[in-house]
Amino acid sequence: MKTLPLAMALPLLLGGCIRFGAEAPPSLLTLTADTPVAVGETTDSATAKSITVMVPSVPQELAVARVPVRSSATDLAYLKNAHWVEAPSRLFARLLSDTVSARTGRVVLSLRQSLTDPGARLSGELRQFGIDAGTSEAVVTFDATLVRDRPAAPGGARAPQTFEKRRFEARVPVAAIDAASAGVALNRAANQVAVQVSDWVGR
């Protein structure tokens, strides 16, 4: 048998043993607001209150684009084939921004826009964003911190800055502990928490 030229032989040899990058998951999960901002609607900070929504901090288990499944208080695994399109904290912050804007009429500012005058500030920690295998529920827990607008006191001085903290949680049953069911249930739970937070902000 004739020897193959080296340039032809190398691709044949390497093709069976080298893979560039991880295999892509079948699909990616994302969050969608139940009350999105209306297309074409304009909000103006001259006539409406503003708020800055910060990306929440997360524990290490949520620092990856995976869906954690808790089988007990100390046992955790990640759901097979369940991958978020980006970090859960950023997805949740965007959902929260849309919901607060749509339900309260506030102007939601980006971090850079808020440098001039942030208005109210909403931050916090996303404590849970996954599946409880024991109860077959999607669980979203958000520890929120709110700094409300500081009204001007007589003489132009601002009132002292105060912080409000509150824990919000939603639990939604999952039909099955798989990627598709988890994505639907977590989206519902995240929206429920976002509505609770927006009602709190709008008081």
Side-chain angles (χ1 to χ4, degrees):
M1 186 174 64
K2 293 183 178 179
T3 302
L4 289 172
L6 183 60
M8 294 177 61
L10 280 175
L12 292 175
L13 292 171
L14 296 176
C17 61
I18 291 181
R19 179 176 295 171
F20 294 95
E23 185 176 349
S27 61
L28 296 172
L29 303 175
T30 191
L31 299 177
T32 305
D34 289 342
T35 51
V37 177
V39 176
E41 182 176 336
T42 300
T43 54
D44 188 341
S45 62
T47 56
K49 292 182 177 180
S50 61
I51 186 170
T52 303
V53 178
M54 313 291 288
V55 175
S57 60
V58 293
Q60 186 58 40
E61 69 183 70
L62 298 178
V64 295
R66 303 291 302 277
V67 176
V69 179
R70 285 192 172 274
S71 54
S72 73
T74 56
D75 292 330
L76 178 145
Y78 288 105
L79 190 58
K80 183 180 179 181
N81 293 330
H83 300 260
W84 295 107
V85 70
E86 62 179 312
S89 57
R90 293 189 174 277
L91 289 172
F92 182 72
R94 191 174 297 118
L95 172 69
L96 201 54
S97 296
D98 287 349
T99 305
V100 168
S101 179
R103 290 178 60 87
T104 69
R106 284 179 176 257
V107 180
V108 178
L109 304 177
S110 68
L111 183 59
R112 178 173 294 181
Q113 292 167 340
S114 70
L115 294 177
T116 304
D117 185 359
R121 294 199 306 276
L122 178 64
S123 59
E125 182 181 10
L126 190 59
R127 298 291 297 271
Q128 293 189 77
F129 201 78
I131 304 298
D132 184 339
T135 60
S136 295
E137 293 175 317
V139 183
V140 175
T141 305
F142 178 50
D143 284 353
T145 301
L146 177 64
V147 179
R148 294 191 181 273
D149 312 83
R150 292 185 291 166
R158 288 291 186 97
Q161 189 176 75
T162 59
F163 296 85
E164 297 179 31
K165 299 194 74 171
R166 182 178 292 188
R167 173 169 290 187
F168 298 90
E169 183 173 277
R171 289 176 170 266
V172 173
V174 288
I177 301 181
D178 57 30
S181 300
V184 171
L186 282 167
N187 190 69
R188 287 179 57 198
N191 271 281
Q192 289 179 18
V193 169
V195 168
Q196 295 169 20
V197 173
S198 65
D199 289 345
W200 180 50
V201 168
R203 284 197 289 108

